[in-house]
């Protein structure tokens, strides 16, 4: 079966999907391939042709813990019982070489989860009411353009695209609604007017029509802190 061709519309959808992420991870490539119904090879090739840096598939393999690292991690967790969350342990251990998920998995396998400080629960901010979501889904099913949905719900086009991506992932809609008029990339600041410090990464992503990874990249680059992501600390660590 032949792969779909790269039209201007599909290219714009890919650009919106990737957001500001750099390099583009293999996870994002896989998600984009699923969303656009094409292969990961096609996505990676297209992104590179557009000037994006894309993570090599070989570089995305999960890191393994050596015996020495496992012993060091066990000692660190035990000596600092209840002091750090998984994310904080990941930042302190081996200069951040392992992700919080990897650290969590290893600590779980070592049966030492009781020593880990629970992460503070962040209440998700609902940006669309249930009735607005129902209207959104209904309009998508009727074939409405992005602009029409934005007008009906008094939202920006970027917000509608972000919500559509969220609904697509949850299975509430089958495809991203088309945009009636395709414009060039906006030069406006996507975070302008967004109170990032009081919102989760997912809520910001939905509001501006970007991926969560793209939002994290922007927050880190600018040294901004969201409710569940400390971009300032990430930037400081990267600059150290």
């Amino acid at each position: 079966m032949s792969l779909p061709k790269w039209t201007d519309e599909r290219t714009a959808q890919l650009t919106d999907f990737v957001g500001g992420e750099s390099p583009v991870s293999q996870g994002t490539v896989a998600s984009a391939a699923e969303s656009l119904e094409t292969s990961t090879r096609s996505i990676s090739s297209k992104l590179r042709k557009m000037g994006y840096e894309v993570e090599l598939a070989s570089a995305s393999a999960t890191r393994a813990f050596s015996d020495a690292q496992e012993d060091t991690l066990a000692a660190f967790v035990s000596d600092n019982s209840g002091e750090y969350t998984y994310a904080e342990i990941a930042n302190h251990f081996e200069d951040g070489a392992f992700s919080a998920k990897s650290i969590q998995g290893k600590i779980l396998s070592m049966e030492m989860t009781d020593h880990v400080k629970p992460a503070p629960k962040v209440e998700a901010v609902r940006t669309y009411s249930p009735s607005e979501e129902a209207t959104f889904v209904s309009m998508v099913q009727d074939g409405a353009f992005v602009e029409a949905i934005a007008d009906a719900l008094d939202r920006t086009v970027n917000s509608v695209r972000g919500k559509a991506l969220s609904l697509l992932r949850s299975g509430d809609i089958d495809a991203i609604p088309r945009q009636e008029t395709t414009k060039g990339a906006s030069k406006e600041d996507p975070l302008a007017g967004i109170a990032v410090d009081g919102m989760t990464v997912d809520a910001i992503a939905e509001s501006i029509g970007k991926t969560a990874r793209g939002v994290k990249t922007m927050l880190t680059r600018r040294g901004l802190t969201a409710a569940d992501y400390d971009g300032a600390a990430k930037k400081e660590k990267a600059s150290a």
Side-chain angles (χ1 to χ4, degrees):
M1 182 182 295
S2 60
L3 296 175
K5 295 183 180 297
W6 284 106
T7 62
D8 289 343
E9 181 180 349
R10 284 172 57 78
T11 300
Q13 289 176 349
L14 176 60
T15 301
D16 289 336
F17 194 99
V18 171
E21 183 176 349
S22 180
V24 181
S25 70
Q26 284 296 313
T28 298
V29 169
S31 297
E34 181 179 355
S35 176
L36 294 172
E37 298 182 344
T38 188
S39 67
T40 55
R41 182 185 294 273
S42 177
I43 293 291
S44 296
S45 175
K46 181 63 175 177
L47 288 172
R48 291 190 175 103
K49 288 180 180 178
M50 294 165 62
Y52 285 86
E53 181 183 355
V54 181
E55 178 189 34
L56 296 175
S58 58
S60 65
T62 303
R63 291 177 179 268
F65 287 80
S66 66
D67 290 341
Q69 287 173 326
E70 183 173 338
D71 291 341
T72 301
L73 177 61
F76 179 85
V77 172
S78 179
D79 292 344
N80 297 279
S81 181
E83 291 294 320
Y84 299 113
T85 63
Y86 290 114
E88 291 168 340
I89 294 172
N91 285 334
H92 285 83
F93 183 70
E94 295 287 337
D95 294 324
F98 295 89
S99 69
K101 287 293 184 183
S102 296
I103 292 292
Q104 182 177 0
K106 174 53 68 174
I107 291 176
L108 179 62
S109 70
M110 295 190 296
E111 299 183 352
M112 298 184 69
T113 55
D114 289 343
H115 293 284
V116 181
K117 176 183 176 182
K121 293 185 178 180
V122 179
E123 184 177 351
V125 178
R126 176 182 283 275
T127 55
Y128 284 75
S129 68
S131 62
E132 287 176 325
E133 287 189 4
T135 299
F136 194 117
V137 171
S138 177
M139 292 186 71
V140 171
Q141 292 173 342
D142 289 340
F145 288 111
V146 168
E147 293 89 342
I149 299 172
D151 287 341
L153 299 177
D154 193 23
R155 302 299 172 96
T156 65
V157 168
N158 277 344
S159 175
V160 169
R161 284 203 300 254
K163 184 61 178 177
L165 181 59
S166 175
L167 291 173
L168 179 67
R169 289 173 174 170
S170 65
D172 291 295
I173 59 176
D174 297 324
I176 299 291
R178 290 184 300 151
Q179 195 166 332
E180 189 170 14
T181 56
T182 303
K183 300 180 180 179
S186 174
K187 296 183 181 299
E188 295 182 1
D189 181 0
L191 294 180
I194 302 294
V196 298
D197 57 341
M199 300 174 67
T200 64
V201 169
D202 286 341
I204 297 170
E206 184 175 304
S207 295
I208 66 175
K210 301 292 184 182
T211 64
R213 290 188 181 91
V215 169
K216 288 181 179 179
T217 298
M218 285 190 285
L219 294 177
T220 300
R221 185 180 298 131
R222 303 185 189 194
L224 300 176
T225 300
D228 59 349
Y229 184 81
D230 193 343
K234 292 285 187 181
K235 181 177 182 180
E236 182 178 353
K237 181 179 178 181
S239 302

